[in-house]
Amino acid sequence: MPLKLEHRLGVQAPAQIIWESLSDLSTWAEWNPLYPKAEGTIRIGEVLTLELALPGQPVQTIQPRVLDWAPEDHIHWRLTMFRGLVNSVRYLEIEVLNDAACIVSNGEIFSGLLSPLVRTQRRAIRQGFTAMGEAIKARAEARYAAQTS
């Protein structure tokens, strides 16, 4: 049975401002505590190189493949681990509420024969998603406030 972990929060900024930070991997080191280093191009089929920094665990390099993306809407990637015994689909999604408010969903769906082992890391994964969500909220809201003042 797949395991889904997710963090959602409201962001008082337009989707365009949120998207600018999510889609520019070269700036992730400036604001993203979960992925302090990110390289690659967000394009279907491309492989990204990301440093994953889960709380309380050593930093590890992962290389997911981009499954889908749409400007100001979402980025989805797949990661295969342990020779396919654990698979995950990671998603970053923006749901527009109005011109200056969105919901950002930041989650992952785990499947595969060994996916139950992920449950042992559930707390660290949730903490990482929360930290990333709060960071994107703070960055987007500050950038929006600077534009409107």
Side-chain angles (χ1 to χ4, degrees), residues 1-50:
M1 176 177 209
L3 171 65
K4 179 180 179 179
L5 299 174
E6 180 180 66
H7 180 260
R8 294 170 48 92
L9 79 164
V11 178
Q12 299 299 310
Q16 177 185 0
I17 290 178
I18 298 165
W19 179 255
E20 287 170 1
S21 292
L22 287 179
S23 65
D24 186 359
L25 298 180
S26 68
T27 66
W28 280 23
E30 297 171 13
W31 64 268
N32 195 332
L34 185 57
Y35 300 103
K37 184 176 179 186
E39 297 174 346
T41 302
I42 298 174
R43 183 172 35 225
I44 294 172
E46 290 292 317
V47 174
L48 307 176
T49 300
L50 309 173

Side-chain angles (χ1 to χ4, degrees), residues 5-22 31-32 72-75 90-97 100-107 129-141:
L5 299 174
E6 180 180 66
H7 180 260
R8 294 170 48 92
L9 79 164
V11 178
Q12 299 299 310
Q16 177 185 0
I17 290 178
I18 298 165
W19 179 255
E20 287 170 1
S21 292
L22 287 179
W31 64 268
N32 195 332
E72 300 178 23
D73 190 77
H74 69 270
I75 303 169
R90 181 83 165 91
Y91 57 91
L92 306 170
E93 299 176 339
I94 303 167
E95 177 185 344
V96 176
L97 300 176
C102 298
I103 300 289
V104 174
S105 299
N106 169 16
F129 290 174
T130 299
M132 182 177 171
E134 294 294 337
I136 193 64
K137 175 183 174 73
R139 182 177 176 90
E141 289 179 352

Side-chain angles (χ1 to χ4, degrees), residues 58-110:
V59 173
Q60 60 181 312
T61 300
I62 60 171
Q63 292 189 300
R65 183 173 304 275
V66 177
L67 291 175
D68 194 23
W69 69 277
E72 300 178 23
D73 190 77
H74 69 270
I75 303 169
H76 297 169
W77 68 66
R78 174 184 302 282
L79 182 63
T80 301
M81 299 167 280
F82 304 110
R83 298 185 185 200
L85 295 175
V86 178
N87 298 293
S88 72
V89 174
R90 181 83 165 91
Y91 57 91
L92 306 170
E93 299 176 339
I94 303 167
E95 177 185 344
V96 176
L97 300 176
N98 62 45
D99 289 345
C102 298
I103 300 289
V104 174
S105 299
N106 169 16
E108 196 159 1
I109 301 167
F110 298 91

